[in-house]
Amino acid sequence: MAGLRHAAALALGALGVGALWRLALAQPEEACPSGSCAADDPALLQKQARASTRQAIHAGLDAPLGQAAAQPGPAPPVPDGWEPCPGLLYGTPNTSFAKAPSEEEFVAALAELDLTAVMDDMTQLMTDSQSCWPGDWGSYVGLFTRLTWHAAGTFRNTDGSGGDGGGRQRFDPEASWEDNTNLDKARGLLWPLKEKYGDGLSWADLIALAGTQTQWASGMPFKEFCFGRLDDEDGAKSLPLGPGEMQEEMAPCTGPVNGMCQMQPNETALAPTTVGLIYVNPGGPMGVPDPAKSVDEIRVVFGKMGHDDKATVALIGGGHAFGKCHGACSKFEYEEPAGLPPNMAFAEGTYPYVGKCPNLDGGVTGMGNATWTSGFEGPWTSTPTRWSNEYFTYLLDYEWEPWLGPGGAIQWRMKENPDDPRMRLTTDIALIKDPEYLKYVELFASNLTALNEAYDFSWTSLTSNGGGWSTKKICVPYGPPPAPGATTPTSMLNTDPR
């Protein structure tokens, strides 16, 4: 049945934009995985149990995450052929609590911390691609940029909730958001640095540093990085972000369904259009690939995050200079292709996000070339581990068309060269459908210095907004970023050794 749906979707994709819209809005019926819809069908019972768990989580009820503890709970059995990163359960505890130092203890430890050594170790980690989660093109800059973005991007200026302070992305609700799929691997990769430097290096600082340092080491000339963010011991301060009863009371969705939450933006403190996403649906409003209609959503949401039009364009295009999207197999063929989020995985006694896409290169299922994260597939630029303004130049210089990508999501490709792996999201195309956004796209395409300055300002604001700062803030200036290494190819596409 899944194969038939996939074939039908591909056929629709050939019919053009109208058919793609209808596909985006369609909700294919659920098939009984074992071929029977009998009430006692084991697969059906499991689907019903998972649906009940999701409903309980959305209602703000406790999910069975294990006992509160300072250390992770017992590790689940490791699935056959799969390898968890050693620090995974420290970066994503399978308990609802993880001990953090007091502010006094943290400030004292921070004063003794060798900050230069921490930053140098992060640079070394960037290219230390590990078998438990291989780096794209041998680098973690894309993964760590997304990690930092998604932690810091929770801030909303409507009521001051969110932000990277507290390091709460480790806990639910944030850890299990759809937009944070596979970021448990990123935090697991950071654990050795946290273990090495102890209380003086908070998880909040570590998460903020990960994206900042690796982007700098990849060519983005940031001016400085500031340490001093405190850690929380649980995710309680993220409850207003949702999903749950507290969010529904403090910052309700103002639309009839999740995904249309900014229908009345002045009536809610909520920032994203969809609870569980960082800002907007990258595939367009409710998944409909209409870039023009994405414009209003982007402006409302980024405004609530504290960013004007210039900062919005800089952050979207600058962040997309690095890394790629992952959608290696079709969501129409594999149920939960990324695996289960932490709240559901721990409830079932397994690891989060054990992916299901087969690795056609003979590697491990669900990682490397077989990764499924967002369902979109491909990089934005030809050098996804180096800073550049190519994102903007190609956005202007080529005509982009929608198509159904391998992950089962509608994305955009160059009409003149449809086999080129570079892609755009509907929200990327939106930036050339609005005169104010287009003005900054044209500026950044023609002036790399202007992009450098705008992105530095905007990224610093992004990672500094919100509470959770200690009384001790130490800022370390950056020098010029290192030049590209001799082994760094000018074009990296189709050279990934994963």
Side-chain angles (χ1 to χ4, degrees), residues 148-157 159-165 168-169 174 177 180 238 241 269 271-272 277-279 304-305 462 465:
T148 304
W149 219 127
H150 285 205
T154 59
F155 172 76
R156 61 192 190 205
N157 60 11
D159 61 5
S161 295
D164 180 59
R168 294 183 301 275
Q169 191 193 70
E174 292 184 53
W177 285 356
N180 290 336
S238 292
L241 305 177
L277 299 185
I278 303 303
Y279 61 119
K304 287 188 173 187
M305 293 164 63
L462 174 76
N465 286 337

Side-chain angles (χ1 to χ4, degrees), residues 6-24:
H6 182 54
L10 291 175
L12 278 175
L15 297 178
V17 175
L20 287 169
W21 286 4
R22 290 191 291 276
L23 173 63

Side-chain angles (χ1 to χ4, degrees), residues 174-231:
E174 292 184 53
S176 295
W177 285 356
E178 178 185 349
D179 244 5
N180 290 336
T181 299
N182 285 323
L183 289 182
D184 60 319
K185 317 302 192 306
R187 295 187 297 272
L189 291 166
L190 296 180
W191 165 247
L193 272 67
K194 172 61 179 168
E195 184 179 37
K196 177 178 179 179
Y197 291 104
D199 286 351
L201 180 59
S202 65
W203 273 106
D205 279 344
L206 185 56
I207 290 170
L209 178 66
T212 308
Q213 183 71 20
T214 56
Q215 288 182 83
W216 172 83
S218 300
M220 169 56 210
F222 289 121
K223 293 184 175 65
E224 66 178 14
F225 179 82
C226 297
F227 294 83
R229 300 165 185 80
L230 294 164
D231 278 343

Side-chain angles (χ1 to χ4, degrees), residues 33-34 36 38-49:
S34 62
S36 168
D40 60 350
D41 182 277
L44 182 59
L45 291 173
Q46 184 182 55
K47 291 168 75 74
Q48 292 171 341

Side-chain angles (χ1 to χ4, degrees), residues 78-151:
V78 177
D80 291 340
W82 191 78
E83 176 187 357
C85 293
L88 192 146
L89 295 181
Y90 287 90
T92 310
N94 56 351
T95 63
S96 56
F97 171 87
K99 182 173 174 57
S102 68
E103 181 171 359
E104 182 180 3
E105 292 169 333
F106 169 68
V107 168
L110 177 61
E112 300 297 321
L113 192 62
D114 186 339
L115 301 179
T116 300
V118 173
M119 298 167 84
D120 288 345
D121 278 356
M122 184 66 74
T123 298
Q124 294 298 314
L125 175 61
M126 178 181 73
T127 53
D128 183 17
S129 182
Q130 298 174 35
S131 60
C132 67
W133 196 253
D136 294 322
W137 298 281
S139 174
Y140 291 121
V141 61
L143 178 66
F144 288 167
T145 297
R146 176 171 165 253
L147 174 79
T148 304
W149 219 127
H150 285 205

Side-chain angles (χ1 to χ4, degrees), residues 4 75 90 102 150 176 231 281 310 383 412 424 471 491 498:
L4 290 175
Y90 287 90
S102 68
H150 285 205
S176 295
D231 278 343
N281 187 328
K310 185 176 184 180
T383 55
W412 298 69
R424 293 292 183 271
T471 55
S491 180
R498 294 172 296 164

Side-chain angles (χ1 to χ4, degrees), residues 361-393:
D361 294 337
V364 178
T365 297
M367 63 177 66
N369 282 330
T371 299
W372 203 102
T373 296
S374 63
F376 304 101
E377 174 61 33
W380 290 269
T381 77
S382 62
T383 55
T385 67
R386 291 299 304 173
W387 174 249
S388 76
N389 62 347
E390 182 188 302
Y391 169 93
F392 297 103
T393 60

